[in-house]
Amino acid sequence: MTESRISPRIEVEAYADAEEAAQAAAVAIADWLAAGLSENERASFVATGGRSPGPVYDLLATLPLPWEQVAVTLSDERWVPPSSPDSNEKLVRDRLLTGEAAGARLVPLWSDAATPADAADAAEATVADLLPFDVVLLGMGDDGHFASLFPGNPSLDYGLDPDSGALVIPAPRGEPAPPQDRISLTLHALTKTYLIVILISGETKRRIVEERDDLPIHALFRAAGDTPVRVIWSP
Ligand SMILES: O=C(O)[C@H](O)[C@@H](O)[C@H](O)[C@H](O)COP(=O)(O)O
């Protein structure tokens, strides 16, 4: 593993391949959950969507943690029911809440509310009950978005406002992204945690992290304060 520093606190940890990166992320998450559970009755984990985290969840589901003491919520959700193949809740139910981790408690963001805004309002209280999170897992898009906080989206400024006080907001579909309405945790919510793990791959994403400072992900780095941020990368 090699490390490159882009700031005093953020290090890009380079792993040989996606499998090694997933292993490193799973170990980081499991260690932090175990540490939280050594001090508290409950722990909470923010899982993310997309293509990258599935192998991490597969590994976590094999680990003998006291998962019945762990609450799992989502960094964001597409405005689709949990039966949809696009649902992040479905991804987490299928890949994480199985095996050893079947007993974990899922706190979803989607509900049968009339609109994403109504669902976000309803999720505000259930997410607030989980704070501070023990660990947050995020991915990042090629545009530097994380969760559903997309460059150019009308919800972005509010979503990145560290003083907003809001935990969960609607993110409308738009041009260029996202392709469908979303619900997202805010920067304010996602930085109320003891560890942030960002799982990315490919040169484009590594260069975004290392060479730019103007995208949503960089606002997260700045807002993280004393919260450790681990950027786990593979080619
Ligand atoms: O709902 C989602 O799609 C995710 O929460 C999203 O924020 C994801 O983390 C990034 O788009 C990176 O996705 P990949 O890991 O597939 O590149």
Side-chain angles (χ1 to χ4, degrees), residues 48-52 75-76 78 88 139-141 145-147 182 205:
T48 197
R51 297 177 306 276
S52 302
S75 63
D76 60 320
R78 294 86 179 273
N88 288 341
M140 184 189 77
H145 84 260
F146 63 93
R182 301 279 191 99
K205 293 184 179 182

Side-chain angles (χ1 to χ4, degrees), residues 56-109:
V56 179
Y57 302 150
D58 294 339
L59 290 168
L60 285 172
T62 68
L63 302 180
L65 286 170
W67 286 102
E68 67 284 353
Q69 296 171 237
V70 179
V72 179
T73 194
L74 295 154
S75 63
D76 60 320
E77 184 57 278
R78 294 86 179 273
W79 187 238
V80 294
S83 55
S84 165
D86 289 341
S87 165
N88 288 341
E89 177 179 337
K90 175 174 175 39
L91 170 71
V92 170
R93 285 189 186 280
D94 292 349
R95 304 284 291 270
L96 176 57
L97 271 57
T98 183
E100 296 282 348
R105 177 170 66 96
L106 183 68
V107 178
L109 299 183

Side-chain angles (χ1 to χ4, degrees), residues 119-149:
D121 289 346
E124 188 82 7
T126 54
V127 169
D129 286 345
L130 304 180
L131 296 177
F133 304 124
D134 290 89
V135 56
V136 169
L137 173 65
L138 295 170
M140 184 189 77
D142 284 341
D143 58 1
H145 84 260
F146 63 93
S148 285
L149 302 175

Side-chain angles (χ1 to χ4, degrees), residues 108-121:
L109 299 183
W110 184 90
S111 65
D112 58 3
T115 67
D118 294 339
D121 289 346

